[in-house]
Amino acid sequence: MEVPPFQSIIEVEPVKNLVLRSNFGVNYYNEENSTFVPRWQEGSRSVDTNELETSNAEQFNWIWLFFQAV
């Protein structure tokens, strides 16, 4: 599951013609997978055990640009 990126921007003008901007952003991603293979037999070929594999991946990134002149 991927969550849409979040971004927040703040601008201030402490004195005339000097604009400062602060930018904060977040990205989040989460993935879960499962694979199941049942035991089976076909003629002389067989797999004697069930097999279950699970995995999880998570990623969280953030960035903050403290005040920069615009």
Side-chain angles (χ1 to χ4, degrees):
M1 172 178 76
E2 189 168 353
V3 176
F6 166 79
Q7 184 174 359
S8 178
I9 298 173
I10 297 173
E11 287 188 356
V12 293
E13 189 173 0
V15 294
K16 187 174 181 176
N17 296 327
L18 175 62
V19 178
L20 300 177
R21 177 186 294 161
S22 182
N23 185 349
F24 180 79
V26 174
N27 291 329
Y28 176 76
Y29 175 80
N30 183 24
E31 178 181 340
E32 295 180 24
N33 291 312
S34 296
T35 304
F36 176 71
V37 179
R39 63 188 184 123
W40 58 273
Q41 182 175 358
E42 184 178 307
S44 62
R45 297 176 43 198
S46 67
V47 172
D48 295 332
T49 57
N50 292 324
E51 198 177 298
L52 175 64
E53 181 180 325
T54 62
S55 64
N56 184 35
E58 186 175 40
Q59 186 176 6
F60 180 82
N61 300 313
W62 64 272
I63 186 169
W64 182 16
L65 298 175
F66 199 59
F67 290 105
Q68 67 186 46
V70 180

